[in-house]
Amino acid sequence: MTLIRFKDKETERRGLGCLMASGLPGKTWRNGETAVPKAGLELLSKQSIAFEVIGEAGYERLTSLRDIAAETV
């Protein structure tokens, strides 16, 4: 997963909508950062949605995503 940031709120809305419609996993935080898989980066680029790459999402950032999926129901 890669951390990105959209240039403004409107672009973020369009980008997140695009990612959700495609069914790709991801996570967004209040500080404006969004974790997306490589396929998400490619999709956003193809759709001409501007974003800034911050870097790789570290284990600490993604631990909460793994914990939720690991819960037994």
Side-chain angles (χ1 to χ4, degrees), residues 18-73:
C18 183
L19 292 168
M20 287 178 16
S22 70
L24 291 171
K27 169 73 175 151
T28 195
W29 289 272
R30 286 184 179 176
N31 67 0
E33 294 178 352
T34 302
V36 296
K38 183 179 178 181
L41 300 176
E42 294 169 1
L43 177 65
L44 293 171
S45 294
K46 286 180 184 176
Q47 296 294 322
S48 299
I49 298 174
F51 60 91
E52 170 190 2
V53 174
I54 298 170
E56 290 298 313
Y59 176 80
E60 305 80 31
R61 298 298 298 267
L62 300 177
T63 301
S64 63
L65 295 177
R66 291 186 184 135
D67 289 347
I68 291 170
E71 285 185 29
T72 56
V73 181

